[in-house]
Every structure is written in structure tokens, then in C-alpha cells.
Amino acid sequence: MAVFEGTLVSTGSPRFAIVLGRFNDLVTGKLLEGCQDCLKRHGIDVNPEGTQVDYAWVPGSFEIPLVARQLALSGRYNAIICLGAVIRGSTPHFDYVAAEVAKGVAAIGFQTGVPVIFGVLTTDTLQQALERAGIKANHGWDYAMSALEMASLMGEIHSAMGAGGSAARLGPGVALSAQPAIAGDGSSV
């Protein structure tokens, strides 16, 4: 039986992409600072001119999944961190945006096998968002930690699968497969 667990120590030269929603940039800018601080303290070069982290700014949180998916499909990144802030207003707009962003980000990981971290704050007030972006704690740090751990974990799993990418036995009757999952209608998921 195998046990897989990611670490927070980067080996090699992992690459990350950070997709940021410009809307509510007072909040997303603070999340980015926390994220960069964590990555930097774990040995990642966060310089936009460097080779380890690429940044993509999008108009708002709703646009995050489209760009994150394109980046994941490029095959260049060990993990993608999505940062945004959706703050409840007086209309149902919040519910639609928050739900679709969450579904979109989750789908990217399933579709591509690349870890995609959901770092989109969904709060009732601007004050709550600011508290989570640095006043009380900066969740940007937490999102970066998740990306580091997931990049490491997926590296371990891929190593166990072997260079051929075929299914690797992990224990009695348990296998990992590099084949895409197929939905009931025959399409890839």
C-alpha cells in the first residue's frame, strides 16, 4: 500500500501561474501580496520577469476560470492559484458569480490534472474581505501553501505512475490512470 503526501519544500524549479481578478483589487492586491510572500519564503522566485511565476490579470472573478484553464492546458505549470473577491450586494449577482467561479475552477483541475487553487473570497461585506486579505489574516498565504503542497503531491503521484504515464498499481485493486475520465454521455470530463 502506498501513501502519498505533498511537502511544502520545493524541489527542482516548480512553475506557478497566478490568475487575479482586477475587480475589488483593493482586496485581490492584498491577497497577491500574501501569496507572493509565502512563495518567496519557500524558495520560489516571484519576480514577474523571472521563470517561476507568471501573472494573469482578468477583469473580474467571473473571468478567472477561462484564463486559468488556458494556462493549465499549456502544460507549463505545476499549480495555478486563482485569486479574486466576490462581495455580496443587494442583487442576486453575487450568487451567480460566486457559484460559477467555484464550479469553473474545480472543473479545470478535473479536466487537466493540474492543481488549481480556489483563492476567491466570497464575503457579505468589504470589511469581511479585507479581514481575510490582511487585516486579521492573509488567506493569500494559505492559497500559496496549498499550491506548494498540491504541486508536490501531484509530482509524487506522477512519479509513482512511471515515465510511461500508464496506470500504476498502488495497492490491491487500486490503480491510477493517465486516461481522462469519461462522462455518461461519452464526453471527456
Side-chain angles (χ1 to χ4, degrees), residues 43 125 167:
T125 66

Side-chain angles (χ1 to χ4, degrees), residues 11-177:
T11 56
S13 186
R15 290 191 51 116
F16 298 92
I18 301 175
V19 182
L20 303 108
R22 195 177 308 280
F23 198 79
N24 291 319
D25 65 347
L26 175 65
V27 176
T28 58
K30 297 290 186 196
L31 289 173
L32 176 60
E33 289 172 12
C35 187
Q36 289 173 316
D37 186 38
C38 177
L39 292 173
K40 186 175 179 180
R41 290 175 188 262
H42 286 85
I44 305 298
D45 177 11
V46 298
N47 183 344
E49 303 302 319
T51 61
Q52 285 190 278
V53 181
D54 291 332
Y55 300 87
W57 285 92
V58 297
S61 292
F62 193 80
E63 291 79 20
I64 288 173
L66 174 63
V67 172
R69 184 173 186 275
Q70 288 302 120
L71 293 170
L73 289 172
S74 76
R76 295 181 55 180
Y77 304 101
N78 298 88
I80 297 171
I81 305 166
C82 300
L83 301 176
V86 184
I87 301 169
R88 188 176 302 278
S90 57
T91 69
H93 185 256
F94 168 92
D95 299 311
Y96 298 120
V97 173
E100 292 307 313
V101 173
K103 285 189 271 187
V105 168
I108 296 162
F110 294 137
Q111 292 169 357
T112 66
V114 175
V116 183
I117 307 305
F118 182 72
V120 179
L121 297 177
T122 54
T123 62
D124 289 326
T125 66
L126 178 59
Q127 180 65 29
Q128 289 174 343
L130 290 171
E131 288 171 359
R132 288 156 180 78
I135 292 176
K136 289 187 176 179
N138 192 322
H139 287 298
W141 177 282
D142 301 329
Y143 304 140
M145 292 291 281
S146 293
L148 288 165
E149 185 173 351
M150 286 301 295
S152 168
L153 176 59
M154 292 305 286
E156 278 191 38
I157 292 171
H158 289 143
S159 292
M161 290 173 62
S166 61
R169 287 274 168 215
L170 302 178
V174 180
L176 286 179
S177 175

